[in-house]
Amino acid sequence: MEGKSCVLTLFTNRYQAYQPPQGVPVRITLGAPRFKLPYSLTHAVRELAPRREYLSRPEPEFIKAYRADLDRLGPARIAERLREITEAENDHRLVLLCFEDLSKPALWCHRRTFASWWKDATGDEVRELSPMADYKQGTLM
């Protein structure tokens, strides 16, 4: 693929803070929100949700397992899946959503682990759209 259809601009946010002008909302959690959203959530990339086997493990173990899953998928396959959404929506801006409020100190989240992995794999930044505590997410190995 060439041209505009190749462009991907990725962001992360939490379900409760997402605003439609930010881009296309994309669920990357195992479960959908059980609360009413003021926007439509029509896209999900289940491949980016962490697996139940390590979901409740301590952060270093979680990050190692989650990054290994991302490595197995690879950036090309993930980009292909994300581009399907950009083409369907005619918008290159995707906002990958999950639940955690990262403005609270000591909270961490797989969306920032994905962002760190994506930067390592592709060189492209994935900016968080919500406030974050001063904690470097997703960089433990």
Side-chain angles (χ1 to χ4, degrees), residues 29-100:
T29 54
L30 288 173
R34 293 183 178 155
F35 45 85
K36 183 149 178 56
L37 297 172
Y39 55 88
S40 293
L41 185 60
T42 57
H43 299 284
V45 179
R46 301 272 306 193
E47 302 93 310
L48 298 183
R51 290 185 288 130
R52 280 181 175 51
E53 299 92 82
Y54 57 81
L55 197 56
S56 61
R57 288 189 188 164
E59 185 180 9
E61 290 177 40
F62 174 95
I63 289 172
K64 185 177 180 181
Y66 184 59
R67 286 182 70 108
D69 281 351
L70 295 172
D71 286 340
R72 277 189 287 281
L73 282 168
R77 190 162 151 202
I78 292 169
E80 179 182 334
R81 180 71 184 91
L82 295 172
R83 280 190 190 102
E84 291 171 4
I85 298 169
T86 66
E87 290 171 6
E89 295 293 332
N90 198 29
D91 191 338
H92 65 93
R93 299 165 307 134
L94 301 183
V95 184
L96 309 179
L97 300 172
C98 73
F99 296 99
E100 282 71 30

Side-chain angles (χ1 to χ4, degrees), residues 111-126:
R111 73 180 185 256
R112 297 312 305 158
T113 302
F114 169 79
S116 173
W117 178 87
W118 187 256
K119 170 80 169 149
D120 292 346
T122 69
D124 294 337
E125 292 283 340
V126 180

